[in-house]
Structure formats: C-alpha cells, structure tokens
Amino acid sequence: MEEHVKKSLDEWKQEIDELLNDIDKQYEEVKRELQIYSYKFSITKQVIQSTINEDIIHSIRELYHAPFEKRFNQLKEEITDLEEKKKVFQMFIDKIDKVKGKREERGYEPV
C-alpha cells in the first residue's frame, strides 16, 4: 500500500476513533441517567400498586410516574441509538484495518 494512502487511512481511522470516544462518553452519561430513572420509575410503580386511595394514585401518576416513565423511555431510545452509532463507526475502523492488513499482507497496490 502506498504510504500516502496508508497515512490517509490512519488519519481517517483516528478521526473515527475520536468520534467513537465521544459516543462512548455520551453512552456512559445516558446509561447513568437511565439507571436513575429506572429506579424512580420502578419505585413510583410499586408505590402506586400499594396505594388504595385513587386521589393519591392520580397525584403520584401525574407528579412522578408519568414524567419518570416518559424520561425512562426517552433514555432507552437514546441508548439504542448510541449503540447503533457505536456499531456503525466500529465497522469503519474494522474495515479500514482489514483493507490495510490485506493490502500489506499481499503487497497489493490498488490502481
């Protein structure tokens, strides 16, 4: 593989690696927040199930349960999106490594 091609691929890989690091940071932040809302959602659900008074149940649902459920579901979607991004950008890195490795093994130079 010609040196300028290898250098360009290495630079591109480094750029994608930086994107992956940013995605990993976002993923960890969302994951922590998801844990928090998972607990909040679960606790309010349990309290509602243990409460008999309909007025109190309505208040709990309105003040806590519905907003926690909404945020919990949003965070789950964000986690799914970030996982997909991680997978896609990792494919770029894998493909770059594969192309560089095959070209170097064979001594093959593309035209």
Side-chain angles (χ1 to χ4, degrees), residues 45-58:
K45 186 175 182 179
Q46 291 171 16
V47 169
I48 287 171
Q49 290 172 345
S50 300
T51 303
I52 297 172
N53 185 315
E54 288 298 320
D55 291 334
I56 295 173
I57 290 172
H58 179 73

Side-chain angles (χ1 to χ4, degrees), residues 5-20:
V5 174
K6 184 177 177 181
K7 182 181 177 189
S8 178
L9 289 175
D10 285 339
E11 289 171 356
W12 190 28
K13 180 181 172 183
Q14 184 178 0
E15 179 183 321
I16 292 170
D17 205 27
E18 289 171 11
L19 287 172
L20 265 174

Side-chain angles (χ1 to χ4, degrees), residues 9 20 25 35 51 61 72 87 99-100 103 111:
L9 289 175
L20 265 174
K25 287 176 188 175
Q35 285 177 315
T51 303
R61 280 194 177 127
F72 176 75
K87 189 182 342 175
V99 166
K100 283 177 40 185
R103 301 290 189 235
V111 179

Side-chain angles (χ1 to χ4, degrees), residues 34-49:
L34 180 61
Q35 285 177 315
I36 291 167
Y37 277 90
S38 174
Y39 280 105
K40 288 180 175 184
F41 177 60
S42 177
I43 290 168
T44 56
K45 186 175 182 179
Q46 291 171 16
V47 169
I48 287 171
Q49 290 172 345

Side-chain angles (χ1 to χ4, degrees), residues 26-27 29-39 41 45 68-84:
Q26 283 180 295
Y27 181 87
E29 289 173 15
V30 172
K31 182 179 169 185
R32 282 192 298 272
E33 190 175 355
L34 180 61
Q35 285 177 315
I36 291 167
Y37 277 90
S38 174
Y39 280 105
F41 177 60
K45 186 175 182 179
F68 291 165
E69 181 178 27
K70 181 180 179 182
R71 185 64 182 146
F72 176 75
N73 289 328
Q74 288 173 338
L75 291 166
K76 283 191 334 186
E77 287 179 27
E78 284 182 45
I79 284 285
T80 302
D81 290 345
L82 290 168
E83 287 171 345
E84 183 66 21

